[in-house]
């Protein structure tokens, strides 16, 4: 899981556009409050699909999935484990 | 002030529409507020229909409100747009304010006093990119203060309250926004721009420097990102579309009566405009289906916050707006071709100038290019629903 999170943080650092930098944010910090726009969240999703070689099912394409590093990690891990949230 | 309980929403809206129709040309020519129609809305207590029963409203659905928008839109698009924008603001209060004492009490006031709500999202330097703000609200203890260069506030001067967006605090990112309800006694408006436009002239959407001071409890308790995604964007696209549909319906009605009059004069020979009218009829049906599908999607998603925040839902609502704002122009233009010079001229039973001018606002009211840009980003990840029946 920590590998997953550090990879996610790399993606967020490259694409997130967080004014204070991703390093300043905890795993549970609200990414939207930190400046994540819905446009950027789509870009991040694409980058994650590329980085982890996976595809987000429609059921995970919502605001909650990108709320925090932990939430993203939960979603990514779920897909990697082959058990995405009910599709 | 109670409207007779026995009359239906459609009958009440019909009475407002009749008043709106009587003054529509004057409102347009003078670019003045449609006060007769707005007074009639108050008299029929239409400003509170969407509010919950237990707060003095009637629990009307968004489809009920859309029907009223369309009925009034057939008479006077400016009056209908005032009504639509009021209910768009109200939808955010209803969806996101029911857990806050201040906002519950305020909704009761809206119902009791039939208050008119206006909107200030557009900002100098930002334009229609409403999910960004430059201005920031300052919270000092129990109070808040906000100044905003609001370049377009429809009927700002005539509103009883303004719901206005800003950054959540001076340090907040431009997308970290809140929405606050200020009542008329809590703000000043200094006019910076005059609304002298091609159409929608009666919305009186002047620009103002807004300065407000209010108790901080008037800030809606949810991030504006959620409010936008879950109520405001969807209800905007749906209720605007309902108004625009109303404009197109009336244009179609005028063209149809033109063709009918011609057919009566020369029975047996189909009038030259008849084919074009048939084309317009097909487009009008497409427009109507598009809006109805959007309303159904919204009603179904309302109970499910995940669905409301999903990419598929955002794409669907964006598509409703793009589809209706583009289609009305084709329909009204068809109607104009059918009616010929009598449609082009002002003051005939077939005049379509006002319709066409009003309809041209639709593509700009949050620029379609902006919306298409947003949709095209979402489509990078959204999986298409390939079923016919959803
Ligand atoms: C009848 C009417 C009533 C209104 N009432 C209100 C109101 O009560 N309150 C309120 O706050 N606002 C109101 N508005 C404003 C409206 O909601 C939009 O914000 C406004 O029309 C956008 O203004 P703009 O075209 O100057 O700005 P922009 O959105 O900045 O657009 C300017 C141009 O730049 C282009 N453009 C800019 N950014 C992009 C992008 N990212 N992608 C693609 N193209 C882009 C667009 O093609 C557009 O033509 C009203 C507008 C109308 C027409």
């Amino acid at each position: 899981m920590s590998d997953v999170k550090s990879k996610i943080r790399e993606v967020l650092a490259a694409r997130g556009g967080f004014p204070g930098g991703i390093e300043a944010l905890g795993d549970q910090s609200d990414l939207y409050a930190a400046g994540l726009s819905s446009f950027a969240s789509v870009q991040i999703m694409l980058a994650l699909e590329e980085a982890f070689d996976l595809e987000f099912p429609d059921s995970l394409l919502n605001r909650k999935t990108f709320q925090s590093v932990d939430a993203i990690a939960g979603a990514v891990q779920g897909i990697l484990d082959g058990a995405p949230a009910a599709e | 002030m109670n409207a007779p309980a026995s009359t239906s929403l459609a009958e009440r809206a019909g009475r407002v529409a009749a008043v709106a129709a009587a003054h529509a040309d004057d409102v347009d020519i003078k670019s003045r507020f449609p006060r007769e129609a707005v007074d009639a809305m108050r008299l029929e207590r239409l400003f509170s229909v969407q509010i919950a029963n237990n707060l003095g409203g009637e629990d009307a659905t968004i489809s009920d409100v859309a029907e009223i928008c369309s009925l009034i839109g057939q008479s006077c698009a400016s009056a209908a747009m005032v009504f639509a924008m009021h209910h768009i603001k109200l939808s955010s209060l209803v969806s996101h304010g029911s857990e806050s004492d201040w906002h519950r009490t305020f909704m009761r006031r809206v119902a009791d006093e039939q208050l008119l709500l206006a909107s200030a999202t557009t900002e100098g330097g930002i334009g229609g990119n409403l999910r960004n703000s430059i201005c920031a609200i300052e919270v000092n203890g129990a109070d808040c203060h906000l100044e905003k260069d609001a370049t377009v506030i429809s009927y700002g001067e005539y509103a009883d309250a303004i719901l206005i967006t800003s950054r959540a605090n001076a340090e907040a990112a431009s997308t970290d926004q809140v929405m606050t309800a200020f009542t008329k006694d809590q703000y000043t408006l200094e006019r910076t721009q005059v609304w002298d436009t091609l159409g929608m002239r009666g919305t009186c959407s002047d620009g103002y420097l807004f300065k407000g001071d209010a108790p901080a409890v008037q800030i809606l308790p949810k991030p504006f990102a959620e409010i936008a995604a879950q109520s405001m964007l969807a209800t905007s696209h749906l209720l605007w579309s309902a108004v625009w549909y109303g404009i197109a319906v009336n244009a179609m009605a005028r063209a149809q009566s033109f063709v009918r009059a011609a057919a009566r004069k020369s029975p047996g020979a189909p009038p030259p405009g008849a084919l074009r009218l048939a084309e317009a009829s097909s487009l009008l049906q497409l427009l109507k289906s598009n809006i109805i599908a959007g309303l159904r999607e919204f009603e179904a998603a309302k109970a499910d916050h995940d669905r409301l925040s999903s990419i598929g839902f955002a794409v669907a609502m964006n598509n409703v707006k793009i589809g209706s704002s583009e289609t009305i122009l084709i329909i009204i233009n068809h109607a104009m071709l059918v009616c010929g010079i009598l449609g082009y001229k002002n003051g005939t039973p077939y005049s379509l100038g006002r319709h066409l001018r009003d309809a041209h606002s639709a593509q700009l009211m949050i620029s379609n290019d902006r919306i298409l840009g947003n949709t095209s980003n979402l489509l990078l990840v959204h999986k298409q629903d390939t079923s016919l029946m959803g």
Side-chain angles (χ1 to χ4, degrees):
Chain A
M1 195 70 172
S2 64
D3 279 2
V4 169
K5 277 191 198 168
S6 54
K7 216 160 163 184
I8 289 170
R9 281 179 169 277
E10 276 169 36
V11 167
L12 289 173
R15 305 250 191 156
F18 299 104
I22 184 69
E23 309 77 30
L25 300 170
D27 285 352
Q28 288 169 16
S29 301
D30 185 337
L31 297 181
Y32 293 105
L36 181 65
S37 66
S38 53
F39 185 89
S41 70
V42 166
Q43 297 298 321
I44 286 166
M45 191 180 307
L46 283 174
L48 289 169
E49 292 192 343
E50 183 70 19
F52 289 97
D53 190 23
L54 49 75
E55 207 170 302
F56 280 85
D58 262 359
S59 56
L60 290 176
L61 302 187
N62 60 50
R63 234 181 116 67
K64 251 184 10 202
T65 303
F66 294 87
Q67 193 85 43
S68 63
V69 171
D70 273 350
I72 300 175
V76 167
Q77 196 63 56
I79 303 171
L80 291 175
D81 294 347
E87 205 179 352
Chain B
M1 187 136 145
N2 267 327
S6 60
T7 57
S8 68
L9 280 181
E11 284 171 297
R12 287 153 66 191
R15 287 193 288 265
V16 173
V19 174
H23 301 279
D25 283 330
D26 191 58
V27 162
D28 176 52
I29 290 165
K30 296 185 180 144
S31 197
R32 70 161 177 88
F33 186 62
R35 70 188 134 69
E36 299 86 353
V38 169
D39 286 348
M41 291 170 200
R42 285 209 167 92
L43 194 66
E44 300 288 349
R45 297 187 63 79
L46 290 181
F47 282 152
S48 53
V49 291
Q50 194 190 169
I51 295 174
N53 252 315
N54 62 8
L55 294 175
E58 301 178 43
D59 268 326
T61 64
I62 200 73
S63 301
D64 295 332
V65 177
E67 182 71 78
I68 301 172
C69 290
S70 149
L71 284 169
I72 303 173
Q74 293 171 46
S75 300
C76 173
S78 286
M81 192 49 89
V82 172
F83 183 76
M85 289 193 276
H86 164 82
H87 274 283
I88 291 161
K89 290 297 106 183
L90 200 49
S91 77
S92 296
L93 283 175
V94 169
S95 305
H96 306 280
S98 61
E99 278 149 35
S100 135
D101 285 341
W102 190 88
H103 296 95
R104 287 174 64 84
T105 307
F106 182 58
M107 279 189 266
R108 196 173 277 289
R109 263 192 75 195
V110 171
D112 288 348
E113 302 168 37
Q114 292 294 300
L115 301 182
L116 173 60
L117 312 182
S119 167
T121 57
T122 307
E123 183 174 10
I126 293 259
N129 189 5
L130 64 94
R131 285 289 292 99
N132 273 271
S133 289
I134 296 173
C135 67
I137 198 157
E138 295 162 30
V139 178
N140 301 307
D143 297 313
C144 65
H145 172 79
L146 177 62
E147 292 185 16
K148 179 167 183 168
D149 173 18
T151 46
V152 194
I153 308 182
S154 290
Y155 54 93
E157 209 180 310
Y158 304 90
D160 301 303
I162 296 179
L163 277 81
I164 185 164
T165 51
S166 65
R167 286 185 294 131
N169 56 64
E171 279 78 47
S174 65
T175 53
D176 181 10
Q177 297 163 288
V178 291
M179 184 157 78
T180 309
F182 286 89
T183 56
K184 202 176 183 68
D185 54 317
Q186 296 172 328
Y187 57 78
T188 58
L189 295 174
E190 185 190 316
R191 187 180 286 107
T192 53
Q193 308 211 20
V194 175
W195 185 255
D196 178 8
T197 49
L198 183 66
M200 287 293 185
R201 294 168 59 80
T203 61
C204 300
S205 310
D206 292 342
Y208 300 94
L209 182 60
F210 172 100
K211 286 186 190 163
D213 288 281
V217 290
Q218 295 180 208
I219 302 172
L220 274 154
K222 297 271 167 60
F224 179 65
E226 273 176 45
I227 297 172
Q230 296 177 2
S231 64
M232 199 185 124
L233 292 183
T235 53
S236 297
H237 293 341
L238 293 169
L239 296 184
W240 291 348
S241 291
V243 172
W244 301 333
Y245 172 75
I247 306 174
V249 166
N250 190 257
M252 177 76 191
R254 289 181 184 211
Q256 196 169 8
S257 56
F258 182 91
V259 168
R260 221 174 262 153
R264 266 192 230 110
K265 283 200 192 100
S266 52
L275 272 187
R276 188 120 292 142
L277 186 69
E279 275 183 328
S281 156
S282 156
L283 287 170
L284 193 68
Q285 181 175 325
L286 214 56
L287 173 63
K288 179 172 176 169
S289 313
N290 188 34
I291 300 170
I292 292 175
L295 287 166
R296 293 215 172 117
E297 173 76 21
F298 180 70
E299 307 272 11
K302 239 184 119 176
D304 175 354
H305 277 200
D306 279 351
R307 187 159 163 196
L308 270 188
S309 315
S310 72
I311 288 186
F313 181 74
V315 169
M317 294 302 122
N318 282 354
N319 284 343
V320 169
K321 196 272 178 175
I322 297 289
S324 42
S325 60
E326 289 180 349
T327 312
I328 52 167
L329 284 172
I330 310 174
I331 294 172
I332 302 167
N333 190 52
H334 270 45
M336 175 95 72
L337 294 175
V338 169
C339 298
I341 207 75
L342 285 177
Y344 195 66
K345 261 174 104 166
N346 294 323
T348 85
Y350 310 109
S351 297
L352 288 163
R354 174 164 51 82
H355 300 65
L356 207 48
R357 288 183 291 104
D358 287 343
H360 268 287
S361 68
Q363 298 179 93
L364 316 182
M365 210 166 169
I366 306 299
S367 154
N368 276 10
D369 280 355
R370 216 180 249 295
I371 294 175
L372 286 171
N374 177 267
T375 304
S376 54
N377 183 47
L378 298 176
L379 288 177
L380 294 176
V381 290
H382 174 58
K383 319 274 178 309
Q384 199 190 341
D385 174 5
T386 53
S387 71
L388 175 63
M389 301 306 290

